[in-house]
Amino acid sequence: MDAPQSWEKRAETYSLYGFTDLPSVAERGTVVVTHGEGPYIVDTNGRRYLDANSGLWNMVAGFDHRGLIDAAKAQYERFPGYHAFFGRMSDQTVMLSEKLVEVSPFARGKVFYTNSGSEANDTMVKMLWFLHRAEGKPERRKILTRWNAYHGVTAVSASMTGKPYNEVFGLPLPGFIHLTCPHFWRYGEPGETEAEFVARLGRELEDVIAREGADTIAGFFAEPVMGAGGVIPPAKGYFQTVQPILKRHGIPLIADEVITGFGRTGSTWGCQTYDFTPDAIISSKNLTAGFFPMGAVILGPELSDRMDAAIAAIEEFPHGFTASGHPVGCAIALKAIDVVMNEGLAQRVIDGAPRMEAGLRAIMQRHANIGELRGIGYMWALEAVRDRETKQPFEASLSVSERIANASTDEGLICRPLGQSIVLCPPFILTDAQMDEMFEKLDRALTRVFAEVG
């Protein structure tokens, strides 16, 4: 067989694609990227694209931030790799754990490192199973999440993820229970107010706990804003309704802040934006501004104490990864936290969010096939509909959101199709002019696609 010549053919010949619409690849080819410049990426043909998806939510400081690059280079020269096993860890790991507890909503706590958000959620489940078993309650194994939630791709975290595509793997595993998605626009019943919707979800939680038995439930995991579900902020009062129910039954609430952590919603943590304090936080993505694969489990005081007691009973926690607490990753994370919190990036989200919302709302007003604009901070979604009044979606066969994403790519804009929504979660460094560029290119893409499918 002759070797393929083009970058696109080489990619298609030797690589498997994850979460990729293969008909689009067959029709349009693969975009092979060589480098980035600020919020832009550049492909092998020299074409620039404004990446309004921040890579995968995570490149919040852009693709060439000199401070992050220098932090990585300096740590590689000083100490390029290690683990956190056998009572040894790098000084960078110690400093990052201190910093994460300091910036968390917890008065004190402890941190465990992974290589991704998926692994961090998986690890948190194992922690809950471990401590419940150590406390003489081995039957507390069931995990509660919500439909349309996304928590990862390991066998456990995919079981937590309330997406129908996991059926192709024979998932979820037994004991993973999905409750109603707190998206009032889509799942509110006719004539139901938002407050009534939230009260119904609270009753559902109570009913599930009664049906399954509180003594069989290990924990409840929730994203403050559902990210890969299509940017779904919770209905008003949702967490204030569910958390007291969980507390009454002794069920820990775990905030999956893989996407929302470190500024995306306008606060350091999404749980702060929505005014609740969880028992633990899952972090990744913005933790290193996308410059290193890393995840973290941040335990609050109660779970820290319970884990300490469970570990003491057998003299170890038999879990970990070769690159847990990697010194280069920790050095980058320390710099990334400083960049977001002290170099003005978090403030840019606070200052820019009203402008972003206003620009997207103006686009919605120009397009009758946009049924809902939803989001907060620098994470927003536009939901495409056949009919705005009835909320009737487009026929699935039309692949409307994929068409919009492809049309946007033709315009030099990267955005993400999720369901029938188009998601925009730009880097925090976006200037006003670049935000306007994002609006203009998206508007042209929407005009083109809605004319085609109208």
Side-chain angles (χ1 to χ4, degrees):
M1 182 180 71
D2 293 335
Q5 298 301 311
S6 71
W7 283 106
E8 293 81 2
K9 287 299 182 184
R10 288 161 67 184
E12 292 160 20
T13 301
Y14 296 110
S15 300
L16 283 173
Y17 297 81
F19 289 108
T20 298
D21 184 72
L22 294 182
S24 288
V25 171
E27 177 185 348
R28 300 167 56 85
T30 304
V31 176
V32 180
V33 180
T34 61
H35 65 285
E37 301 166 356
Y40 297 90
I41 58 172
V42 184
D43 69 14
T44 49
N45 297 311
R47 187 171 185 204
R48 283 160 50 98
Y49 306 83
L50 177 60
D51 192 337
N53 198 42
S54 300
L56 270 177
W57 313 86
N58 56 346
M59 306 298 296
V60 295
F63 296 92
D64 59 353
H65 190 280
R66 179 47 52 186
L68 289 165
I69 293 169
D70 288 345
K73 290 170 67 176
Q75 186 58 39
Y76 271 121
E77 290 175 353
R78 180 171 176 263
F79 191 36
Y82 209 62
H83 55 77
F85 284 28
F86 318 127
R88 296 189 292 275
M89 64 178 60
S90 78
D91 55 353
Q92 302 298 311
T93 311
V94 174
M95 289 189 290
L96 179 58
S97 295
E98 292 173 335
K99 176 58 69 173
L100 286 174
V101 173
E102 175 192 327
V103 302
S104 79
F106 306 131
R108 58 184 178 85
K110 290 194 173 181
V111 183
F112 190 93
Y113 295 102
T114 67
N115 307 305
S116 67
S118 296
E119 291 174 355
N121 276 309
D122 195 298
T123 293
M124 186 72 243
V125 171
K126 286 183 72 176
M127 285 181 171
L128 292 170
W129 289 345
F130 175 75
L131 69 85
H132 287 313
R133 180 172 291 270
E135 293 169 349
K137 300 174 182 177
E139 68 282 358
R140 294 197 82 143
R141 294 184 62 82
K142 294 173 185 174
I143 301 295
L144 305 181
T145 61
R146 290 92 52 82
W147 286 112
N148 224 19
Y150 183 90
H151 296 288
V153 295
T154 66
V156 164
S157 60
S159 294
M160 299 161 68
T161 294
K163 293 285 195 175
Y165 55 68
N166 280 318
E167 293 174 1
V168 301
F169 304 107
L171 297 173
L173 297 169
F176 290 84
I177 300 166
H178 303 126
L179 288 81
T180 298
C181 171
H183 185 189
F184 175 58
W185 180 84
R186 176 55 69 190
Y187 298 111
E189 295 175 350
E192 188 176 45
T193 67
E194 189 167 9
E196 290 168 341
F197 173 69
V198 170
R200 174 161 62 86
L201 267 54
R203 291 193 300 272
E204 177 193 45
L205 176 59
E206 290 272 25
D207 291 344
V208 168
I209 294 171
R211 182 190 74 210
E212 302 294 331
D215 58 356
T216 71
I217 299 172
F220 181 101
F221 287 69
E223 304 158 272
V225 178
M226 287 183 171
V231 183
I232 302 170
K236 186 177 181 180
Y238 174 77
F239 285 105
Q240 288 67 40
T241 296
V242 300
Q243 187 168 35
I245 297 170
L246 297 169
K247 281 187 177 296
R248 189 162 65 251
H249 293 284
I251 300 169
L253 169 58
I254 315 303
D256 181 344
E257 299 256 13
V258 168
I259 288 173
T260 54
F262 292 108
R264 181 61 72 181
T265 67
S267 303
T268 303
W269 303 104
C271 63
Q272 293 169 328
T273 298
Y274 292 100
D275 194 26
F276 71 98
T277 301
D279 296 289
I281 285 174
I282 307 299
S283 181
S284 188
K285 294 193 184 292
N286 296 0
L287 173 61
T288 61
F291 276 61
F292 197 89
M294 175 174 280
V297 177
I298 309 169
L299 300 177
E302 181 184 346
L303 287 182
S304 291
D305 291 346
R306 292 170 66 185
M307 276 295 294
D308 281 345
I311 291 167
I314 64 168
E315 300 182 344
E316 71 170 333
F317 178 43
H319 178 77
F321 304 91
T322 301
S324 292
H326 194 288
V328 177
C330 290
I332 292 172
L334 284 163
K335 181 61 178 177
I337 294 169
D338 183 55
V339 167
V340 170
M341 300 185 71
N342 301 319
E343 291 188 9
L345 265 67
Q347 190 61 45
R348 284 199 189 197
V349 177
I350 294 169
D351 295 340
R355 192 173 191 277
M356 187 167 177
E357 179 178 5
L360 293 173
R361 199 162 296 283
I363 288 174
M364 179 180 177
Q365 290 170 352
R366 287 195 292 273
H367 294 279
N369 292 115
I370 298 298
E372 184 189 33
L373 170 67
R374 57 181 181 267
I376 193 167
Y378 267 22
M379 54 187 307
W380 292 85
L382 293 158
E383 179 105 2
V385 292
R386 172 66 73 185
D387 185 280
R388 184 184 289 177
E389 284 297 314
T390 64
K391 305 178 186 178
Q392 178 190 353
F394 280 99
E395 300 87 326
S397 61
L398 290 174
S399 301
V400 168
S401 64
E402 188 71 25
R403 287 179 183 232
I404 296 169
N406 289 337
S408 297
T409 302
D410 292 342
E411 296 286 343
L413 175 70
I414 303 294
C415 54
R416 182 176 179 182
L418 281 171
Q420 297 219 1
S421 300
I422 281 293
V423 168
L424 299 132
C425 49
F428 298 173
I429 61 170
L430 214 64
T431 65
D432 286 354
Q434 290 162 347
M435 190 178 288
D436 289 342
E437 178 186 347
M438 177 180 72
F439 296 148
E440 291 163 7
K441 290 180 173 180
L442 177 63
D443 197 22
R444 289 197 295 269
L446 291 170
T447 298
R448 170 181 149 188
V449 171
F450 290 146
E452 293 171 352
V453 301

